[in-house]
Structure formats: C-alpha cells, structure tokens
Amino acid sequence: MTRRRSILLPILVLLVATGLPAQVHYHEDGNPWKQRAGNGPDAEVDGWYYNLGITGIRAQLMADEPTHLLVKHVFAKSPASKLVKVGDVIVGAGEARFETPHRNGYGMDKFGPAGPIADFAAALETSQGKQGKGRLALVLRRGEKEKAVELKVGTKYGEYAPSFPADCKKSEQLLDELCAYLVSEQRDDGSWGSEPQNTFAPLALLATGEKKYLKAVEKAARFHARTTSARDESSLINWRYMGAGIVLSEYYLATGAKWVKPELEEIYEFICYTQYRDLKQVNPRVKETHPDAWPTDDKKKIGGWGHNPGFEGYGPICMITGQGATAMALMKRCGLTIDRTRHDAAYDFLARGTGQNGYVWYEDSPAGQKDWADMGRTGAAGVANLLSPYQETIYRERALAHATVIGEHPESFPDTHGSPIMGMAWTALAAWGDPASFRKLMDANRWWFTLAQCGDGTFYYQPNRDNAGYGGDSRVKPSAAVALMLAIPRRSLHVTGKPFGD
C-alpha cells in the first residue's frame, strides 16, 4: 500500500461520518485528559482539560453525560475559587441549562464546539458585557443536589466587537497584554522555545507596528540568524528554517537592517539544498523507516519540503512547503535573487495537493475534490499564493480559493493536524486575504477566543484532534499565535496585508 493510501483511507473513513470517536477526540485510554503540562503555569493541573475562559475552571467532557461539564480543576484566587469544587458537574450557565450534547470526534460532522462548550462560551461572553454586568450564573450538580452559584467575572475585558479583531476594544486590550507577556517570556537567547512561538511571537510584536517592541524583535531575529546556516542536519530542521526565513524577511522589510540580508542568503541556500528536486536526494534509510513513502515516480513530490533534508520520513508535505514558498516570496521582496524554477516547483507542489474546492491535503495529491478537514495546510498555501511576487493572476486566484474554503468550513479552526496552534495562525492569515471569509472564520470561532483566554490575559492550548504537544509552553505558544491574529487588522506586516513597495 502506498503512503498516500495508508494515510488517506483512515482519514476518509472519519470524514464520511462513521461515528467513530475522534471535537476533542478523547479516548478510552484516558487521553487527552490524563496528559500533564509538567512545568509552566499549568503544571498544577492534573490533566489536559478544557479551559473555561477567565473563570479559573478546567473541565472535562463526559461520554455518559454529553450535555454536562465535569470540573477537574479550579485555580486559586479565580472567580470560581471557593464557589466551584473539583467533582462538580456544570449543568447550565447564564440562567439556561445545557441541552445540546457534545460531539466527541474528528470529522466533518463533528468539528466545532456544539454542546456545553459552545453554550458555556456564549454565557461567559455575555456576562462580561454591559448586559451581564460582570456576573456569570452557573447551575452545578454537587453529589445528588443542584446548586446555583454566581461568579464575579467582571467587565474588564467586555465582549468582542462584531468586527473583532478590527475596531474592537477587547482585542486591543488583549493584544497589549499579550505582547507584554511575550516580552517577559522571551529567553536570554532571544527565543521562546519551539518553532511555532519562535515564528509567531516576533511576528506578533512586529505586527503591532509599535517601536517599543523592536528591541525584542531584533533579539529574536539575531537568534534565528545565529542558529541557521547553509547546511544543517539537525532533526526536524526544515520547520525552523522556514520560520527563520519568514521572520528575518519581515524584519528586514520593516527595518532595512543591513546585517539581515547575508543571513537570508544563507537560509535561502539551505532551503534550496533541502528542497526535493531529484530522486538522488532520497536517503536510502527511507526504504527501511518509511517504505511506503519511497517515490516510485521521478515527478512525485518534486518541489516540496519534508521535515528534514534527504526525503526523511514521509517526504515532502504541503504544510511546510507552503511556508517554504512564503519564505521565498518574502526573500525575493527583500532583493534576493530567487530561482523562479524552484519557486514554481513549490507552488506546483501545493497546486497538486489542492482539491477543486481549494482545500489542501497532506501531500501533493488532493484528499478528494470536495473533501475538507483541518485548514492549517490550506492556510499556509493561501499565504504563499497571496504573497507571490509574480504577476500571473493564477496565484491570486488560488489564494482566493484557499481563503474561500476556509470561510465555508471554519469549524475545524482549532483542530488542525500536528500543531493546531501553527495551523490556526496560518489559517487566519490566509483567510484575511478575503474579508468575507475572515469574518466567517472569526464569527464561528468566537467561542474559542472566549474560552482559551485565562484569567491573567494569556491564552491556553485547548485539547484538539491530535492531542499532541501539550507541555510547559501551554500558554506561550497559543498566546503568540493569538497576538499575531489580533494584530492582523493593523496591516503592519506583509503576511498581514501590508502592501509591497512595488
């Protein structure tokens, strides 16, 4: 069986609504609920549960009571402290009882927060506005009895404006707090940890257009410059280089700092070296580690990037190829000489992986012409096409198709394959290319922004499709991505709509 079929068949089984458990995708073995952060602000919580916004409550979905939420943790000094206890079952919020059951699973019929999650989010959002007066009414079941409590959540943040994050007081306040938080969390070496936050944190700070963050952005830029070279055989290295190329390009375009351009030349040399163009590049070990991925056609997967040089693992994939094409597009705008044939090869790879509806599959063949699921890959491809430095209209047409399918199916926004936080940011950036699609995406996921926000203004990594990557960066990673998304309307970066000089 080929690699494509080995992945595609189980995914398509889910997509045709078999009812298999896969919204959060919790399992009989206790995942994701039994996973722990280990360190960081969420280390005190004994599992990976839903954050219920600024209430201070962490809750678990239940198979036997799908209309209720089981309280698993309450943070001290939070609105819920001393009022809500671990073991309580939340049966209603905002003076209305929960009636819709949740949909545990992954697939087109399960995406979205329908059920107690959506109902709780709506009540919490309303409670923070003028109508709610900062008070959230809850109905709890404690033992055999029901109990009504009222949480003082306050009106400090208020409600999101209908146009959020644009023209939205709450979005602006959160953006200010998140940027201050990111600066405080920046490490001495200029980084924030892994690739998503090392890409999105400096981009978010730069996207504000505020000079007070330039020192932190330069520190991050120098980190990327210092940790990249023309050759690198480190594990999963291509992700780091694509992020570095994008960050350094945006920094150069914003500041004109002369030291950056030679660093970009070095990164460009690396991504040319690692772009798959010929069967000779395939590492023989692939036959042993991933035999199904071994290319049988000398044109298959040409132009893409995988996790590492040498066709490591599954070979080139669309998520990182979209970022590679974006890096090249920005580098060309910086004045680098970009090999058009290589750039076109990357765009062609993405086109081969795109269905008629604009949805992008894992590799360079579509999942189905009308199928859709998590949108991170589609977002990365959309940004690459939107930023294309070439005059042909096909790139803008593809960008619009990617944005449109995101707007048509916004439910899977926080449920992206591999790294949902990375996928969310690229999805939002691509949707921004079409205002109507961006509006649909934000409106459909207002619940996520409401519930992912913690009491201290940071954002939290909620359980998701893959239930992967939960750790000590459970606040830094989503906070970086959310800050970038909230800064999009300022159009201070080229990935957020700033026009190029030409």
Side-chain angles (χ1 to χ4, degrees):
M1 180 178 287
T2 66
R3 161 66 183 162
R4 170 175 158 70
R5 289 185 62 200
S6 65
I7 292 180
L8 183 57
L9 290 179
I11 293 295
L12 289 182
V13 169
L14 292 174
L15 293 180
V16 295
T18 62
L20 291 175
Q23 193 168 5
V24 172
H25 198 169
Y26 59 80
H27 306 267
E28 292 182 0
D29 65 1
N31 282 316
W33 316 123
K34 69 179 183 180
Q35 298 181 59
R36 300 193 63 166
N39 55 73
D42 295 311
E44 67 179 80
V45 186
D46 69 357
W48 189 5
Y49 308 117
Y50 262 116
N51 185 67
L52 299 187
I54 63 173
T55 65
I57 302 172
R58 293 282 168 84
Q60 176 181 329
L61 297 178
M62 298 181 288
D64 55 349
E65 294 187 273
T67 60
H68 298 161
L69 297 170
L70 175 63
V71 176
K72 298 295 292 185
H73 188 83
V74 180
F75 285 96
K77 299 181 180 180
S78 68
S81 179
K82 299 181 181 180
L83 294 174
V84 180
K85 298 181 179 181
V86 172
D88 285 350
V89 176
I90 306 174
V91 300
E95 300 180 354
R97 300 179 74 89
F98 301 146
E99 296 181 354
T100 305
H102 72 76
R103 300 176 298 193
N104 178 54
Y106 173 81
M108 290 187 288
D109 64 328
K110 296 181 179 66
F111 287 129
I117 288 295
D119 295 339
F120 191 99
L124 177 57
E125 171 79 350
T126 299
S127 72
Q128 296 179 77
K130 293 181 179 179
Q131 180 181 343
K133 299 180 180 179
R135 297 177 181 275
L136 175 64
L138 296 182
V139 179
L140 310 173
R141 190 180 71 222
R142 184 172 294 167
E144 300 298 321
K145 299 181 179 180
E146 287 194 355
K147 179 180 179 65
V149 300
E150 186 177 75
L151 309 187
K152 296 180 180 179
V153 295
T155 58
K156 173 185 175 181
Y157 294 102
E159 299 178 77
Y160 286 107
S163 57
F164 97 103
D167 302 317
C168 176
K169 182 179 179 181
K170 180 173 184 174
S171 297
E172 289 296 317
Q173 181 176 348
L174 286 170
L175 179 58
D176 288 343
E177 293 181 6
L178 286 172
C179 287
Y181 169 72
L182 292 175
V183 171
S184 71
E185 290 295 312
Q186 188 175 27
R187 300 177 181 180
D188 291 340
D189 65 358
S191 74
W192 282 268
S194 62
E195 278 64 43
Q197 55 265 42
N198 285 340
T199 299
F200 299 137
L203 287 180
L205 296 173
L206 196 58
T208 65
E210 298 182 26
K211 293 182 179 180
K212 63 183 179 180
Y213 299 125
L214 284 179
K215 183 177 180 181
V217 177
E218 180 184 357
K219 189 176 178 181
R222 291 191 179 276
F223 162 79
H224 281 299
R226 189 173 59 253
T227 56
T228 50
S229 59
R231 291 291 185 273
D232 196 327
E233 299 297 332
S234 304
S235 178
L236 304 177
I237 195 61
N238 287 350
W239 296 99
R240 171 149 47 105
Y241 276 75
M242 299 315 179
I246 292 167
V247 170
L248 285 173
S249 292
E250 286 283 11
Y251 181 71
Y252 178 79
L253 291 167
T255 67
K258 294 182 180 180
W259 65 267
V260 177
K261 204 167 180 181
E263 300 293 342
L264 285 173
E265 295 278 6
E266 193 174 65
I267 293 173
Y268 175 66
E269 183 178 344
F270 174 84
I271 64 176
C272 285
Y273 159 69
T274 192
Q275 184 184 24
Y276 177 58
R277 298 288 302 279
D278 192 286
L279 279 169
K280 296 177 181 178
Q281 293 173 255
V282 183
N283 190 318
R285 289 181 299 177
V286 173
K287 282 189 175 181
E288 300 177 3
T289 60
H290 296 80
D292 291 344
W294 187 269
T296 56
D297 185 331
D298 60 3
K299 295 183 180 179
K300 183 67 175 174
K301 299 192 177 183
I302 290 293
W305 287 272
H307 296 304
N308 287 324
F311 206 88
E312 182 272 344
Y314 302 129
I317 55 178
C318 282
M319 184 58 171
I320 196 167
T321 300
Q323 294 174 56
T326 295
M328 279 188 167
L330 289 170
M331 288 175 179
K332 184 172 177 60
R333 299 289 189 173
C334 292
L336 274 68
T337 300
I338 303 299
D339 183 339
R340 175 81 189 258
T341 61
R342 285 185 173 276
H343 209 177
D344 282 343
Y347 280 122
D348 290 343
F349 184 101
L350 296 172
R352 294 195 301 271
T354 303
Q356 293 175 358
N357 60 351
Y359 174 69
V360 178
W361 173 237
Y362 186 81
E363 45 193 15
D364 61 341
S365 296
Q369 298 302 337
K370 297 297 181 181
D371 289 333
W372 62 276
D374 42 310
M375 292 292 177
R377 301 177 296 268
T378 305
V383 174
N385 279 288
L386 194 63
L387 296 184
S388 171
Y390 311 115
Q391 297 302 311
E392 292 87 345
T393 59
I394 186 62
Y395 303 104
R396 280 69 185 174
E397 292 169 357
R398 291 171 179 169
L400 180 59
H402 296 318
T404 299
V405 76
I406 290 171
E408 290 174 347
H409 304 291
E411 306 95 316
S412 67
F413 183 50
D415 227 356
T416 293
H417 172 68
S419 172
I421 300 302
M422 179 181 288
M424 290 176 71
W426 288 115
T427 298
L429 291 170
W432 181 244
D434 177 51
S437 296
F438 184 77
R439 185 72 270 135
K440 292 176 183 177
L441 180 69
M442 292 295 104
D443 289 346
N445 291 283
R446 182 186 297 258
W447 70 271
W448 187 91
F449 289 93
T450 298
L451 293 191
Q453 182 191 347
C454 299
D456 60 358
T458 61
F459 278 70
Y460 170 76
Y461 183 25
Q462 301 277 32
N464 55 79
R465 165 243 170 124
D466 275 357
N467 299 319
Y470 181 65
D473 58 359
S474 58
R475 303 281 184 94
V476 175
K477 187 182 295 183
S479 293
V482 170
L484 177 58
M485 289 187 276
L486 295 181
I488 287 176
R490 298 192 181 190
R491 296 181 183 270
S492 295
L493 297 180
H494 297 289
V495 295
T496 61
K498 181 180 180 179
F500 291 99
D502 59 358

